[in-house]
Amino acid sequence: DRPSRSRFVEQLLWEEEKRLGRVLTPGEPPVSIVRLPPCPIPRADAALPDSDVSGGGAWGEGDAIISNCVITGNAAFEDGGGAKGGRLLNCVLSFNSAGNGGGGAHAAALDQCLLAGNQAVWDGGGAFACVLSNSILRANQAGEYGGGAFASTLRNCLAEGNAAQLGGGSAYGASLHCTIVQNAASYSGGGDYHGSNQNSIIYFNTSADSWANYYSSICHYTCTTPHPGTTGSISDPPLFFAAAAGDFHLSQGSPCIDAGIASALNRDLEGTPRPLDGTGRGAAGYDMGAYEHSRFVFASKTGSHAWPFATWATAATNLQDAADAARLDQTLLVSNGVYNAGARWQGELYWRLAVTNPLLIQSMNGAGLTTLDGGGAAGCVYLSSNAHLRGLPITKGPPHFFRE
């Protein structure tokens, strides 16, 4: 099963599913849901404390923690339409609004969160003065600066489809290992405005006036165009795996693979270890962007079964889960053992392994040490067109009964 860092994506609201045009597989339900009617708006001249005009959905003092919550449909007269202050872990903040800044969150620390469809009248449609780690900012809007985030630090974050007058993705902030794509600005800096960026990708953003990807930003070891003229930066297209489908993993051959500089982040947005040897040259390197590229998915009877199964230590313990996690440009490597667990319905049978995309499944040490075993109860393997199984003995499939 995928770890909690991925379940927040699967816990999107029904409105978000409609916006994406597809139904997301539901994961475990959130522990609690904050779904309040919009807060009443006080008079502009009312002498009220900040806690009465900010934090429309939640207010967190000091080290207060909010976890596994969906915070949606709230409003604040000043800051933090969804939440103000505290720490938010594995939360969804959506369709909140703020009369000043931080439609989703203000002055908070967020980890493994999704901020989607939030709005701010002025700055920071998604986040204002926040620290965001391993999080996604999608389709947020600000009236002036920072559609995704304003004056915020982003680490291992994806900022996609946000909009503002200046800095559609981010403004006056900092990014490390971030992917900032398909954001828009009415004037300048569709991706980033007056920010500092390292080991990031800022590409395919737009602006109505000038400087579609960045304006007056510092970029080191960053993939963007035009070339910023700084150390380690590149301007070649990043070669995403399936950008049109919203998949911003790096495809094999991307110039961003192993092209970054060493950083303090030892995992990516999804929990894949950094750095990995993404080019096959025998040395691990840090990738640019939010996702570390792995050429392989691993299956081992001694793995810890931690999605996305990107190392032998975190390998899947059954072949079906490993195959489901693999992208089309990856190879599934299988270590020694008898694989006799798991079942997937395909056609008219349950199979130990059903592969419905053109995936290569390769035994590491050959047929003598690795076996796919149906146990007499399930078919052993179903392969669709162009799928390839190499070096695994197949045994104990069920008897086939012929019907008249």
Side-chain angles (χ1 to χ4, degrees):
D1 199 7
R2 297 185 181 185
S4 60
R5 71 174 60 249
S6 299
R7 290 196 178 113
F8 72 90
V9 177
E10 297 172 353
Q11 294 168 355
L12 290 172
L13 303 175
W14 298 280
E15 297 93 335
E16 176 68 354
E17 291 179 341
K18 292 178 182 177
R19 190 193 71 78
L20 293 172
R22 61 187 178 89
V23 176
L24 298 165
T25 303
E28 293 182 0
V31 173
S32 60
I33 297 178
V34 179
R35 190 172 294 184
L36 305 176
C39 298
I41 304 300
R43 302 192 316 273
D45 59 352
L48 296 172
D50 191 30
S51 59
D52 284 350
V53 293
S54 297
W59 177 283
E61 292 283 358
D63 293 329
I65 297 175
I66 301 170
S67 64
N68 294 68
C69 288
V70 176
I71 304 174
T72 186
N74 304 287
F77 181 68
E78 285 289 340
D79 302 318
K84 181 176 174 66
R87 296 174 58 202
L88 291 92
L89 307 176
N90 198 30
C91 290
V92 175
L93 296 88
S94 61
F95 307 105
N96 303 289
S97 61
N100 185 32
H106 184 277
L110 301 95
D111 193 359
Q112 304 168 32
C113 291
L114 170 70
L115 294 83
N118 302 288
Q119 296 183 338
V121 172
W122 294 104
D123 307 321
F128 185 118
C130 292
V131 176
L132 298 99
S133 304
N134 313 305
S135 295
I136 296 176
L137 297 133
R138 177 182 289 142
N140 303 286
Q141 297 183 21
E144 193 160 339
Y145 293 99
F150 175 80
S152 296
T153 298
L154 311 181
R155 301 168 180 157
N156 277 342
C157 289
L158 169 65
E160 171 205 357
N162 304 285
Q165 290 192 37
L166 299 159
S170 177
Y172 292 101
S175 79
L176 176 63
H177 283 296
C178 290
T179 300
I180 302 173
V181 291
Q182 297 179 356
N183 303 284
S186 301
Y187 296 117
S188 293
D192 185 66
Y193 185 86
H194 279 275
S196 176
N197 307 280
Q198 183 170 298
N199 285 358
S200 292
I201 299 172
I202 308 174
Y203 229 94
F204 302 123
N205 302 284
T206 60
S207 67
D209 189 2
S210 61
W211 295 92
N213 285 311
Y214 65 92
Y215 178 81
S216 194
S217 298
I218 299 171
C219 300
H220 291 289
Y221 290 89
T222 291
C223 176
T224 191
T225 186
H227 196 292
T230 53
T231 303
S233 292
I234 58 176
S235 58
D236 294 332
L239 301 183
F240 293 124
F241 181 72
D247 187 342
F248 299 102
H249 291 85
L250 301 176
S251 62
Q252 192 66 38
S254 167
C256 300
I257 296 173
D258 293 356
I261 191 172
S263 76
L265 303 184
N266 58 11
R267 299 210 171 250
D268 76 353
L269 171 59
E270 293 180 323
T272 300
R274 294 187 190 271
L276 295 174
D277 178 9
T279 60
R281 297 173 183 171
Y286 288 81
D287 294 352
M288 296 175 177
Y291 301 101
E292 189 77 4
H293 178 74
S294 174
R295 295 181 297 135
F296 304 107
V297 171
F298 298 90
S300 170
K301 302 298 290 185
T302 60
S304 64
H305 201 81
W307 189 90
F309 318 123
T311 67
W312 284 119
T314 61
T317 54
N318 71 77
L319 298 184
Q320 189 63 64
D321 285 351
D324 290 344
R327 298 190 308 275
L328 301 186
D329 63 342
Q330 293 179 306
T331 296
L332 170 52
L333 295 181
V334 184
S335 186
N336 302 349
V338 176
Y339 292 84
N340 54 9
R344 173 66 55 82
W345 183 260
Q346 182 68 39
E348 296 184 356
L349 282 176
Y350 281 103
W351 304 88
R352 284 282 180 254
L353 174 63
V355 181
T356 57
N357 53 42
L359 177 67
L360 171 62
I361 304 101
Q362 168 75 56
S363 170
M364 278 294 294
N365 297 309
L369 297 172
T370 310
T371 301
L372 181 56
D373 187 340
C380 292
V381 60
Y382 171 92
L383 299 175
S384 66
S385 179
N386 296 318
H388 186 176
L389 181 72
R390 180 188 294 164
L392 279 80
I394 300 170
T395 186
K396 299 181 182 178
H400 291 274
F401 297 98
F402 293 95
R403 295 177 296 180
E404 294 183 359

